[in-house]
């Protein structure tokens, strides 16, 4: 097998630039968030009956029957009882709830998070509580207002004393509360809690007014899935959607598609080749539901359709969320194009704050998982002759006995060559490098996320030091990404997404796969790997 220096190798650069510029006008609540309108209770009809007992038990029965998102403090509801003659047949849920709470100091309110049921305190008014002198009170009181991060009053927040759960109350429709503190408590600490928000402990420290801003629970925020029309809580989903934690995609490979296998149920992924540039994994989501030219899933990065190669080149450091929509309910927005499933990737955005710099450097080894055992040159010739005798005993043999013996004894390797082509052309492993640098930050008006990465994957072809060229496979991939968000107004945001992928490939013109096929099919005893340079070829700078 002789290589010609002017035909064997090729270098080329492939440029893929994806640019997305969009203006989003947002009014009201976030897209995809579960919003309860004034008609939700009215639209739900139910058949239900209540036995005599505690109100908290009746409310649990109501939640099971209506499937509505309802939050209440069970400790407060245990104080009240309900009659035993409540029977409803195909009645609206709002009528059932109003009858259930009739004649009780308990009310409800519909919010964006769900239905809040709480005890209404008659002493709390819309006005801010006026300062009260502690000396005028027989029992010390603490009052205040509870709001969320946007300043919206939070009804139904449980307010109790730490280590004294029997002393407590809850906020009214305006987020206000009043709590009497027993005189035997020297250093009271208030505990504020509600479903979906972080529990906070605030020392009173002699204050008469304690206002608190509660924040959403980080555990609940993490359980958010990106779907076709925005973000949605997993508990509110009806379609089959699987979300993957981006940290699980950080594997010792520069190809993201090779990290998908085994990360989610219903996905079949397999890799046909480990050659750099040809190592994209093929994957199916719940099998193939269409026949024809397209059997792979629809891939979207920041809502822009891309190919498998663009998905393979994206860096796990740049991924904010990774969702896979599997059934018709989840992919309905995409129509027939999403018949085989949809992979939806969103990249990171800048957050308000100081510039944050992150750098990652990795080195890895690549080695074949398994090699085929080959016969040695002498055994090769003997088996070849045996195959000829089996088919035609009178046919002339390919290799004479003298050639076999001279090859076995190593007589003159130029005349009687014995070449292990795989050992001569392939090495056992290769070294690969990966770099990633990203910067994020911003202010109240503009936020940015800028990242750059480089991946260098090398093949396992040997490079002879006597050659004046590199015959090994080398793929260097460069990725640049810039995500900028600018607030043009209170309800308008400018979103700019710039992304560029650059591949620089060097390798055999036939590719690594065909080179391996030639190695496996080349006769090991027909000619040597190379001939020594004689006087007539002393000017050559390669073997």
């Amino acid at each position: 097998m002789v290589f010609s220096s002017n035909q064997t190798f090729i270098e080329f650069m492939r440029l893929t630039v994806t640019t997305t510029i969009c203006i989003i006008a947002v009014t009201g609540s976030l897209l995809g968030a579960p919003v309860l309108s004034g008609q939700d209770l009215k639209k739900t009809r139910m058949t239900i009956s209540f036995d005599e007992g505690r109100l908290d038990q009746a409310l649990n029965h109501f939640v099971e029957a209506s499937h509505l998102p309802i939050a209440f403090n069970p400790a407060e509801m245990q104080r009240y009882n309900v009659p035993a003659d409540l029977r409803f047949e195909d009645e609206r849920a709002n009528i059932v709830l109003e009858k259930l709470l009739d004649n009780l100091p308990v009310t409800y309110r519909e919010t964006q998070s769900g239905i809040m049921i709480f005890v209404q305190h008659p002493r709390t008014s819309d006005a801010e509580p006026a300062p009260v002198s502690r000396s005028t009170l027989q029992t010390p009181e603490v009052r205040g207002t509870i709001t969320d991060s946007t300043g919206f009053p939070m009804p139904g927040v449980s307010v109790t004393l730490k280590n004294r759960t029997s002393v407590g109350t809850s906020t009214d429709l305006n987020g206000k509360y009043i709590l009497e503190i027993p005189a035997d408590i020297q250093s009271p600490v208030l505990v504020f809690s509600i479903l979906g928000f972080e529990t906070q402990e605030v020392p009173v420290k002699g204050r008469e007014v304690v206002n608190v801003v509660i924040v959403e629970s980080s555990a609940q925020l993490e359980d958010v899935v990106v779907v076709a029309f925005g973000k949605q809580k997993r508990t509110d989903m009806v379609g089959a959607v699987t979300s993957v934690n981006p940290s699980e995609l950080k594997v010792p490979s520069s190809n993201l598609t090779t990290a998908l296998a085994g990360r989610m149920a219903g996905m079949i992924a397999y890799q046909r080749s480990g050659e750099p540039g040809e190592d994209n994994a093929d994957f199916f989501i719940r099998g193939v539901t269409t026949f024809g030219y397209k059997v792979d899933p629809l891939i979207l990065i920041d809502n822009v359709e891309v190919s498998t190669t663009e998905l393979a080149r994206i860096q796990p450091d740049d991924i904010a969320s990774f969702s896979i929509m599997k059934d018709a309910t989840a992919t309905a927005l995409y129509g027939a194009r999403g018949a085989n499933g949809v992979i939806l990737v969103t990249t990171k955005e800048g957050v308000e704050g100081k510039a944050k710099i992150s750098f990652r450097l990795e080195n890895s080894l690549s080695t074949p998982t398994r090699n085929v055992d080959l016969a040695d040159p002498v055994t090769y010739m003997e088996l070849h002759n045996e195959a000829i005798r089996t088919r035609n005993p009178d046919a002339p043999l390919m290799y004479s006995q003298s050639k076999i013996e001279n090859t076995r004894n190593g007589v003159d390797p130029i005349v009687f060559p014995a070449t292990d082509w795989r050992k001569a052309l392939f090495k056992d492993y290769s070294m690969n490098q990966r770099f990633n640098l990203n910067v994020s930050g911003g202010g109240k008006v503009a936020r940015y996320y800028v990242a750059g990465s480089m991946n260098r994957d090398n093949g396992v072809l040997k490079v002879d030091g006597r050659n004046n060229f590199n015959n090994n496979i080398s793929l260097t991939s460069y990725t640049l990404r810039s995500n900028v968000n600018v607030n043009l107004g209170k309800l308008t945001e400018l979103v700019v997404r710039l992304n560029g992928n650059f591949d620089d490939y060097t390798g055999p013109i036939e590719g690594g796969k065909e080179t391996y096929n030639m190695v496996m099919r080349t006769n090991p005893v027909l000619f040597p790997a190379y001939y020594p340079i004689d006087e007539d070829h002393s000017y050559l700078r390669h073997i």
Side-chain angles (χ1 to χ4, degrees):
M1 181 171 60
V2 181
F3 284 2
S4 174
S5 62
N6 62 343
Q7 294 182 348
T8 306
F9 307 102
I10 184 172
E11 297 186 7
F12 64 88
M13 178 177 288
R14 181 171 62 84
L15 169 65
T16 303
V17 179
T18 304
T19 304
T20 306
I21 301 179
C22 55
I23 298 180
I24 304 175
V26 180
T27 58
S29 57
L30 291 175
L31 293 176
V35 179
L36 292 174
S37 67
Q39 302 297 321
D40 287 327
L41 280 171
K42 296 180 180 179
K43 291 180 180 179
T44 303
R45 306 190 73 88
M46 54 195 307
T47 298
I48 190 172
S49 62
F50 298 97
D51 296 329
E52 185 175 2
R54 300 199 311 263
L55 178 59
D56 61 319
Q57 298 173 341
L59 289 176
N60 287 330
H61 186 30
F62 180 82
V63 172
E64 294 176 359
S66 63
H67 302 289
L68 292 172
I70 297 176
F72 60 91
N73 185 358
E76 285 205 337
M77 301 305 152
Q78 290 178 2
R79 308 174 185 175
Y80 308 103
N81 295 324
V82 295
D85 57 347
L86 294 180
R87 300 288 186 271
F88 301 95
E89 184 75 25
D90 193 27
E91 186 61 84
R92 293 198 304 269
N94 64 317
I95 300 298
V96 176
L97 187 57
E98 290 171 1
K99 292 291 185 181
L100 185 62
L101 304 179
D102 193 22
N103 296 325
L104 295 176
V106 181
T107 185
Y108 69 90
R109 181 176 181 180
E110 296 177 72
T111 68
Q112 291 185 347
S113 301
I115 302 171
M116 302 290 185
I117 300 178
F118 52 92
V119 178
Q120 188 172 13
H121 298 279
R123 288 181 293 179
T124 305
S125 62
D126 293 340
E128 192 68 27
V132 179
S133 175
R134 182 173 296 275
S135 61
T136 62
L137 299 175
Q138 295 180 353
T139 303
E141 287 185 349
V142 177
R143 61 182 66 194
T145 304
I146 311 299
T147 60
D148 60 11
S149 57
T150 62
F152 186 83
M154 290 295 300
V157 178
S158 174
V159 184
T160 59
L161 281 177
K162 187 177 181 180
N163 301 327
R164 189 74 70 87
T165 56
S166 59
V167 179
T169 183
S170 61
T171 56
D172 63 3
L173 289 173
N174 301 305
K176 300 181 184 299
Y177 71 94
I178 296 177
L179 180 64
E180 295 181 352
I181 299 178
D184 59 335
I185 298 181
Q186 300 298 326
S187 301
V189 177
L190 300 182
V191 180
F192 302 89
S193 62
I194 188 174
L195 183 66
F197 292 82
E198 296 284 355
T199 300
Q200 295 191 31
E201 298 183 0
V202 181
V204 177
K205 295 182 179 180
R207 292 177 293 176
E208 298 172 359
V209 177
V210 178
N211 298 326
V212 176
V213 177
I214 59 175
V215 296
E216 293 190 35
S217 171
S218 58
Q220 193 170 29
L221 289 176
E222 291 176 357
D223 200 20
V224 172
V225 179
V226 177
V227 294
F229 45 83
K231 296 180 180 178
Q232 193 172 12
K233 292 183 179 179
R234 184 179 299 278
T235 54
D236 299 319
M237 291 168 46
V238 294
V241 179
T242 299
S243 60
V244 182
N245 192 332
S247 61
E248 298 179 0
L249 300 176
K250 293 184 179 180
V251 297
S253 173
S254 58
N255 192 319
L256 184 66
T257 62
T258 61
L260 299 180
R263 293 293 187 276
M264 61 219 68
M267 170 172 280
I268 303 172
Y270 57 93
Q271 192 178 8
R272 298 176 183 268
S273 172
E275 177 186 351
E278 301 293 332
D279 55 346
N280 292 347
D282 295 323
F283 44 86
F284 304 111
I285 299 175
R286 290 189 173 181
V288 179
T289 57
T290 60
F291 298 94
Y293 79 99
K294 183 175 177 57
V295 296
D296 51 343
L298 178 66
I299 303 173
L300 299 172
I301 299 179
D302 289 332
N303 291 321
V304 177
E305 183 178 358
V306 298
S307 65
T308 306
T309 301
E310 275 74 27
L311 178 64
R313 298 291 183 266
I314 192 171
Q315 301 299 307
D317 307 77
D318 300 338
I319 298 177
S321 64
F322 194 103
S323 300
I324 298 179
M325 293 174 276
K326 295 184 276 192
D327 66 352
T329 305
T331 63
L333 188 65
Y334 301 103
R337 298 180 65 82
N340 295 312
V342 178
I343 295 179
L344 186 58
V345 181
T346 58
T347 57
K348 291 182 178 179
E349 297 180 349
V351 295
E352 183 179 343
K354 296 181 179 180
K356 181 180 179 182
I357 301 176
S358 177
F359 178 74
R360 177 171 59 91
L361 168 62
E362 292 181 355
N363 273 305
S364 63
L365 293 175
S366 294
T367 183
T369 55
R370 186 176 63 177
N371 278 320
V372 180
D373 294 330
L374 301 177
D376 61 87
V378 174
T379 304
Y380 174 85
M381 290 186 290
E382 292 176 344
L383 293 178
H384 197 155
N385 288 344
E386 182 179 343
I388 294 176
R389 292 193 192 98
T390 301
R391 288 159 179 78
N392 185 0
D394 299 329
L397 299 179
M398 182 71 179
Y399 305 102
S400 65
Q401 190 62 33
S402 61
K403 179 176 176 60
I404 295 176
E405 293 300 326
N406 287 330
T407 303
R408 191 195 310 272
N409 297 327
V411 177
D412 196 347
I414 301 300
V415 179
F416 302 102
T419 306
D420 185 343
W421 290 109
R422 188 171 65 190
K423 185 177 181 180
L425 291 178
F426 290 98
K427 55 185 179 180
D428 295 331
Y429 65 90
S430 67
M431 292 287 297
N432 306 315
Q433 296 82 35
R434 289 177 289 277
F435 309 87
N436 180 270
L437 174 66
N438 59 75
V439 182
S440 63
K444 296 184 179 300
V445 176
R447 296 158 302 281
Y448 59 87
Y449 178 86
V450 181
S453 61
M454 184 191 76
N455 297 330
R456 179 179 289 116
D457 294 322
N458 299 307
V460 291
L461 289 174
K462 280 186 177 180
V463 179
D464 198 303
R466 292 168 291 180
N467 288 334
N468 61 349
F469 56 87
N470 182 3
N471 60 284
N472 192 17
I473 297 175
S474 177
L475 174 64
T476 304
S477 301
Y478 305 91
T479 301
L480 298 175
R481 184 176 303 279
S482 176
N483 295 345
V484 179
N485 296 63
V486 181
N487 294 334
L488 301 181
K490 292 184 178 180
L491 300 177
T492 306
E493 183 181 35
L494 173 66
V495 180
V496 182
R497 298 285 183 265
L498 298 177
N499 175 40
N501 294 327
F502 309 86
D503 287 350
D504 186 3
Y505 174 86
T506 301
I509 194 170
E510 297 292 344
K513 178 181 178 181
E514 186 59 30
T515 301
Y516 187 82
N517 289 337
M518 289 189 292
V519 165
M520 299 300 292
R521 297 173 182 175
T522 300
N523 194 314
V525 296
L526 191 60
F527 51 85
Y530 57 89
Y531 293 92
I533 296 178
D534 53 19
E535 295 182 358
D536 295 336
H537 300 87
S538 60
Y539 62 91
L540 293 177
R541 291 184 297 139
H542 55 80
I543 58 177

